[in-house]
Amino acid sequence: MGKALFISNAAQLITMADHTEQPAKKEAMSHLNLIENGSLLIEDGKVVEVGRDDDMRDKYKDRIQAAEHLDASGKVVTPGLVDPHTHLVHAGTRENEYAMRLQGQSYMDIMSAGGGIHATTRATQQAGHEQLYEESWERLQQFLIHGVTTVEAKSGYGLTLEHELKQLEVAHELQADHPVDIVSTFMGAHAIPMDEKDNPGPFVNRVIDEMIPVVAEKNLAEFNDVFCERGVFTPDQSKRILEAGKKYGLTPKIHADEIEPYEGSELAAEVGAISADHLLKASDKGIREMAAADVVGVLLPGTAFFLMAEFARGRHMIDAGLAVALSTDQNPGSSPTISLPFIMNLGCLKMGMTPEEVMTATTINAAHAIGRADEIGSLEPGKKGDVTIFDVPNHLTLSYKYGMNHVDTVVKDGQVLVAGGQLQ
Ligand code: NIG
Ligand code: FE
């Protein structure tokens, strides 16, 4: 893994320590375990220890001497950001639909007319392996520049076994080739193919009987996600699909209560989903049930922003005891951004979250939402040496000076991949 790395003297070193066992809830979401004048030693791609600069220099004198040095004076050091919900692997863009929505057409109407997810499905089906790989690679580069070192990536623009596998295989290859870590989710149940809209039963059966077994057998995904929404998959169909995935070792995730209240949150609790995502219209009952069942609520305020919808009730959810994570939802239709820091801004300004809570929501809680809290999401001994350094004097400035990229340095597995805001 190359040379050791000593990151020294950060104005604020946000460790996010002590949340590895359980996602942070309520007041715990404000506990950043922040060290002033903090330093961090990485060896063999893993964190050795974090502490106050003088203590670290005393304790690790020789090892620090042998290491490459990165001076973080005047800057904020955080765990590499984690984006727990993206539709990374897809072809093409949909700026035409953006213009249509600005003229008053709705997202769901565009989809029912064969645009939306169907438009990207056509483009993705037509795209070759290489095109998908290259487009997705570019997005991963952009994620890195914005401080993200792990992303979850869903399929769901294939909608046939062949094309779903193509998306998942591209994600798999990118995981091998690109330094950003990718955690894969199968989402065959993202839309009902246009020509089967009036008779979705056979498609649901194909997802269950044809696609899930093959995806599991090829080991191409850890999670199984469904778009549970009126006009897409009903709660009953969603439940069947998620239960079928469980039998093959795929942990449930769910796009729940995004456009209309549809009891997706309640279903997430019932099936034991690791996360329920969107939740703009989640009911009080659904929120209580998810909190009790330890489901992580993954909120995607970029989507509400871009669809000009009402934001999820982040403040209420945290107060009700739900562990909350934040994500871009990166996709060409409802959230074409790759800026997780902008999502953090929206969490504060539009969902009533505090700067501490949005930090927790994009690090350790995001890691919990994708089952990776034992490896990433905090800077603690033994975890991956994934680190983001922001050129701001304190973490409040991240959401205060909004809409800018403050990322200075990104370290992945102990390697410096972004320096001075530029890819190396
Ligand atoms: O998470 N809601 C469903 N799926 C995506 C959007 C996909 C698309 O519009 O292409 C989402 O918002
Ligand atoms: Fe999504």
Side-chain angles (χ1 to χ4, degrees):
M1 284 272 181
K3 219 174 167 190
L5 180 67
F6 182 59
I7 302 174
S8 64
N9 204 30
Q12 296 182 330
L13 170 59
I14 292 172
T15 70
M16 296 309 315
D18 302 331
H19 301 298
T20 295
E21 295 306 316
Q22 289 293 322
K25 295 179 174 178
K26 292 196 167 175
E27 294 77 33
M29 281 194 70
S30 307
H31 299 163
L32 305 184
N33 288 309
L34 182 157
I35 303 170
E36 284 177 359
N37 302 114
S39 294
L40 161 73
L41 179 63
I42 300 173
E43 283 176 354
D44 298 324
K46 299 260 164 56
V47 176
V48 175
E49 196 169 334
V50 297
R52 284 187 55 89
D53 190 70
D54 37 7
D55 296 342
M56 288 289 288
R57 284 177 195 274
D58 280 348
K59 187 164 173 190
Y60 292 102
K61 199 161 175 265
D62 297 342
R63 286 156 77 176
I64 287 172
Q65 219 154 43
E68 182 186 338
H69 285 223
L70 238 171
D71 178 14
S73 305
K75 301 192 172 92
V76 172
V77 172
T78 73
L81 301 181
V82 178
D83 192 332
H85 178 142
T86 85
H87 301 260
L88 176 79
V89 180
H90 63 263
T93 55
R94 307 216 302 266
E95 60 273 37
N96 58 326
E97 293 179 6
Y98 169 59
M100 285 156 76
R101 288 194 300 99
L102 293 176
Q103 300 289 329
Q105 291 199 46
S106 82
Y107 176 79
M108 287 310 268
D109 286 348
I110 293 171
M111 176 167 166
S112 313
I117 295 173
H118 300 297
T120 301
T121 299
R122 284 191 296 276
T124 304
Q125 287 183 345
Q126 279 159 23
H129 206 95
E130 207 168 307
Q131 181 192 339
L132 283 177
Y133 182 96
E134 278 166 16
E135 285 193 31
S136 309
W137 178 281
E138 240 356 272
R139 282 176 210 119
L140 288 173
Q141 300 285 75
Q142 290 298 319
F143 270 118
L144 251 190
I145 293 177
H146 288 79
V148 175
T149 48
T150 301
V151 301
E152 183 260 18
K154 302 175 196 297
S155 68
Y157 293 120
L159 306 189
T160 65
L161 177 60
E162 177 194 351
H163 294 292
E164 286 292 309
L165 289 179
K166 178 174 70 180
Q167 270 189 285
L168 291 169
E169 279 159 6
V170 168
H172 194 76
E173 280 171 34
L174 288 165
Q175 161 62 6
D177 299 349
H178 195 282
V180 169
D181 278 323
I182 299 175
V183 175
S184 261
T185 296
F186 168 65
M187 197 176 178
H190 194 195
I192 296 157
M194 270 310 271
D195 52 357
E196 294 181 85
K197 243 176 48 179
D198 301 326
N199 179 27
F203 180 72
V204 171
N205 291 340
R206 286 205 299 284
V207 170
I208 292 173
D209 299 328
E210 269 180 31
M211 299 191 204
I212 286 174
V214 179
V215 167
E217 200 250 320
K218 289 181 177 281
N219 226 338
L220 282 170
E222 287 175 50
F223 302 105
N224 179 28
D225 199 341
V226 179
F227 189 8
C228 179
E229 190 73 43
R230 194 177 301 285
V232 195
F233 295 94
T234 65
D236 275 352
Q237 292 164 340
S238 303
K239 184 175 170 185
R240 278 182 57 213
I241 292 165
L242 294 175
E243 290 292 354
K246 272 161 73 173
K247 293 207 183 91
Y248 285 89
L250 300 176
T251 303
K253 280 182 168 278
I254 182 168
H255 281 58
D257 301 318
E258 177 183 353
I259 316 276
E260 287 185 33
Y262 205 38
E263 304 205 342
S265 307
E266 289 83 344
L267 178 60
E270 189 188 333
V271 300
I274 191 166
S275 76
D277 303 33
H278 285 293
L279 306 178
L280 277 64
K281 300 288 160 61
S283 69
D284 289 351
K285 176 170 164 283
I287 292 168
R288 275 197 307 274
E289 290 177 7
M290 288 192 297
D294 283 330
V295 178
V296 178
V298 176
L299 305 184
L300 312 160
T303 308
F305 174 71
F306 196 67
L307 296 184
M308 298 171 281
E310 233 173 87
F311 286 77
R313 295 182 291 154
R315 177 77 269 134
H316 169 81
M317 290 177 194
I318 292 172
D319 294 341
L322 189 69
V324 166
L326 288 173
S327 158
T328 59
D329 192 20
Q330 206 293 322
N331 76 75
S334 68
S335 190
T337 189
I338 37 76
S339 177
L340 196 52
F342 177 61
I343 300 301
M344 296 164 84
N345 299 159
L346 289 177
C348 292
L349 293 166
K350 293 294 187 182
M351 297 198 302
M353 294 170 70
T354 65
E356 289 77 15
E357 288 166 344
V358 301
M359 184 60 69
T360 303
T362 49
T363 52
I364 193 67
N365 276 10
H368 278 288
I370 53 172
R372 286 291 192 282
D374 53 338
E375 289 181 8
I376 54 172
S378 65
L379 297 172
E380 292 176 276
K383 286 215 182 178
K384 283 190 178 226
D386 293 359
V387 185
T388 298
I389 305 180
F390 294 95
D391 190 8
V392 288
N394 54 59
H395 75 87
L396 285 182
T397 304
L398 282 179
S399 49
Y400 163 67
K401 291 193 178 171
Y402 73 93
M404 302 158 65
N405 186 11
H406 297 290
V407 172
D408 179 80
T409 303
V410 182
V411 175
K412 180 79 186 75
D413 297 310
Q415 306 289 319
V416 178
L417 299 181
V418 176
Q422 307 292 319
L423 285 165
Q424 295 304 287

